[in-house]
């Protein structure tokens, strides 16, 4: 496929992803109140467990509306995950043989649970992050959390965990598409571990080792698991190619 066709395909997939997120955001609009209450619970608990005043502050006239829009979009990305993960696979799939395209369900069957697992793990980390960060408030002081900054913080945390857990499946897809061989992933394992450690330090909102380990350790394990799965698929494909070449000769 020529470069122009690739770019056109990429544009079309992005449009489809945007439509899916918009539909998910529409559903998220009606889920705003229970979701925001759930996100606010750790803040309320932090205020109850300390002498400091900790509360979410809506500073501007339109901040509450803007907050609801952002939460809706955030939920739209999460709810539409199966759709945009499929679009990602569909963009890679043209590089696969017709017999390999049947792995679509396998890709989605692995990517969706991993994304959900990442979101679930972020949900476990989130209260701890709030407790640690608000714990720096001096005794008798007040901590007015800006609503906009809180939403940015939350989106960054949840999406970082979700997308990080999906990346190993993308590795397998690229290997099966013949873009990157498994031995290339394996040769770069030291760089991968270092990048994962840096990413865990940057993407997790708290500086403690435990929170970074929540993201880093599973990612390292999934990285090597992806290499193993990629290698199995390549061996099967190489054996088939060798057999076809032998029959052709």
């Amino acid at each position: 496929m020529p470069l122009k066709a690739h770019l056109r395909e990429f544009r079309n997939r992005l449009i489809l992803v945007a439509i899916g997120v918009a539909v998910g955001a529409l559903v998220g609009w009606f889920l705003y109140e229970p979701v925001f209450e759930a996100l606010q619970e750790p803040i309320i608990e932090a205020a109850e467990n300390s002498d400091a005043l900790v509360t979410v502050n809506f500073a501007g006239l339109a901040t509450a509306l803007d907050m609801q829009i952002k939460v809706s979009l955030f939920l739209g990305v999460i709810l539409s995950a199966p759709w945009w993960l499929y679009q990602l696979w569909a963009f890679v799939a043209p590089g696969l043989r017709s017999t390999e395209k049947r792995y679509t369900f396998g890709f989605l069957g692995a990517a969706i649970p991993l994304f959900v697992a990442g979101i679930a793990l972020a949900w476990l980390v989130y209260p701890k992050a709030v407790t640690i960060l608000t714990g720096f408030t001096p005794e008798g002081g007040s901590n007015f959390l800006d609503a906009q900054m809180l939403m940015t913080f939350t989106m960054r945390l949840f999406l970082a965990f979700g997308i990080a857990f999906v990346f190993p499946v993308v590795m397998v897809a690229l290997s099966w598409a013949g873009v990157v061989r498994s031995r290339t992933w394996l040769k770069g394992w030291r760089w991968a571990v270092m990048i994962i450690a840096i990413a865990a330090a940057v993407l997790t909102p708290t500086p403690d080792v435990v929170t970074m380990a929540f993201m880093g350790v599973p990612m390292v394990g999934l990285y090597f698991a992806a290499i193993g799965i990629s290698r199995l698929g390549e061996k099967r494909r190489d054996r088939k190619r060798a057999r076809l070449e032998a029959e052709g000769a």
Side-chain angles (χ1 to χ4, degrees), residues 4 12-14 23 42-43 51 58 77 86 92 101 113 115 119 130 136 147-148 159 165 167 195-196 202 211 225:
K4 188 175 181 179
N12 292 339
R13 295 296 172 187
L14 279 181
V23 173
I43 298 171
D51 295 330
F58 292 85
V77 173
Y86 169 74
V92 176
K101 291 181 181 179
F115 182 80
I119 296 295
V130 171
F136 288 101
Q148 302 281 15
L159 293 180
F165 274 51
F167 182 72
I195 291 171
I196 288 171
V202 172
T211 304

Side-chain angles (χ1 to χ4, degrees), residues 32-196:
Y32 167 73
E33 287 190 10
V35 170
F36 184 72
E37 288 176 4
L39 293 176
Q40 209 175 9
E41 280 182 12
I43 298 171
I44 296 173
E45 290 180 6
E48 292 175 349
N49 295 332
S50 65
D51 295 330
L53 173 62
V54 183
T55 185
V56 179
N57 182 38
F58 292 85
L61 183 63
T63 304
L65 174 60
D66 190 45
M67 183 71 167
Q68 184 163 353
I69 293 173
K70 283 189 175 182
V71 171
S72 300
L73 288 173
F74 168 62
L75 291 174
V77 173
I78 294 177
L79 294 174
S80 65
W83 175 249
W84 55 259
L85 285 170
Y86 169 74
Q87 297 305 322
L88 174 64
W89 172 262
F91 180 70
V92 176
L96 301 176
R97 293 179 176 82
S98 57
T99 55
E100 294 171 330
K101 291 181 181 179
R102 68 178 184 273
Y103 294 125
T104 298
F105 292 107
F107 173 83
L108 294 176
I112 294 172
L114 284 173
F115 182 80
V116 173
I119 296 295
L121 189 56
W123 183 256
L124 294 177
V125 171
Y126 173 69
K128 184 175 182 293
V130 171
T131 301
I132 291 174
L133 294 177
T134 56
F136 288 101
T137 306
E139 185 176 350
S142 300
N143 194 336
F144 293 95
L145 303 176
D146 182 74
Q148 302 281 15
M149 292 182 65
L150 175 64
M151 196 61 239
T152 301
F153 166 84
T154 306
M155 291 174 65
R156 172 184 163 187
L157 176 68
F158 279 73
L159 293 180
F161 270 81
I163 293 172
F165 274 51
V166 170
F167 182 72
V169 186
V170 177
M171 287 172 56
V172 174
L174 291 175
S175 295
W176 286 0
V179 178
V180 183
R181 298 284 293 185
S182 60
R183 61 174 176 267
T184 303
W185 295 118
L186 186 58
K187 285 180 180 178
W189 74 268
R190 293 179 180 84
W191 283 100
V193 171
M194 184 180 71
I195 291 171
I196 288 171

Side-chain angles (χ1 to χ4, degrees), residues 203-232:
L203 295 175
T204 52
T206 58
D208 62 292
V209 177
V210 175
T211 304
M212 289 187 287
F214 265 118
M215 175 182 283
V217 173
M219 281 186 66
V220 171
L222 289 171
Y223 180 85
F224 285 104
I227 292 174
I229 296 171
S230 299
R231 183 57 183 158
L232 290 174

